[in-house]
Amino acid sequence: MRLSIIATLLVLVLAHGAFADELEDLLKDIQVKMSNDFREIVNNPEVQNQAKVFLEEKRGQLEPAVEQIQPHVDPFIEKVQSFFDRLKEELAKTSKK
């Protein structure tokens, strides 16, 4: 009885080791395949052109919005800069004491 349990455990350990090696090899193969496929897609001139067209379209859509927002952003930036300048001065005064 004990011998059959030991033999069964030995078979399971060996099978687990072989399965783990196969799984590791499979994962490495998948990683290499995905890297190669991604590289092919990125280097494809058609995909690059589509990406450029997409970015140009989005830039065209965003520029009017930026022009509308910019006048509101500039005063905010000035206020934040002023706040940090005052904070910096106060910290300088505190560190001298």
Side-chain angles (χ1 to χ4, degrees):
M1 177 74 177
R2 287 185 186 177
L3 185 59
S4 63
I5 292 174
I6 292 172
T8 304
L9 286 175
L10 182 61
V11 168
L12 288 174
V13 166
L14 291 174
H16 180 271
F19 179 72
D21 289 342
E22 288 178 28
L23 183 60
E24 186 176 339
D25 291 342
L26 178 64
L27 290 174
K28 285 180 183 177
D29 291 344
I30 290 172
Q31 181 182 9
V32 168
K33 173 109 173 83
M34 288 177 64
S35 295
N36 290 339
D37 289 349
F38 182 74
R39 196 173 299 115
E40 271 183 43
I41 290 169
V42 169
N43 292 330
N44 184 333
E46 185 177 329
V47 172
Q48 290 175 354
N49 288 335
Q50 289 176 352
K52 286 178 185 176
V53 168
F54 175 80
L55 290 174
E56 288 171 6
E57 287 176 2
K58 295 305 171 188
R59 182 178 295 128
Q61 292 173 359
L62 289 175
E63 283 177 355
V66 170
E67 289 174 6
Q68 290 177 351
I69 294 171
Q70 192 66 43
H72 303 289
V73 172
D74 289 338
F76 176 74
I77 291 173
E78 290 174 13
K79 288 178 183 177
V80 170
Q81 185 63 46
S82 173
F83 170 76
F84 281 114
D85 290 342
R86 286 192 311 258
L87 183 62
K88 193 176 181 182
E89 289 173 10
E90 289 298 320
L91 288 173
K93 290 177 187 176
T94 306
S95 65
K96 289 180 182 178
K97 291 182 181 180

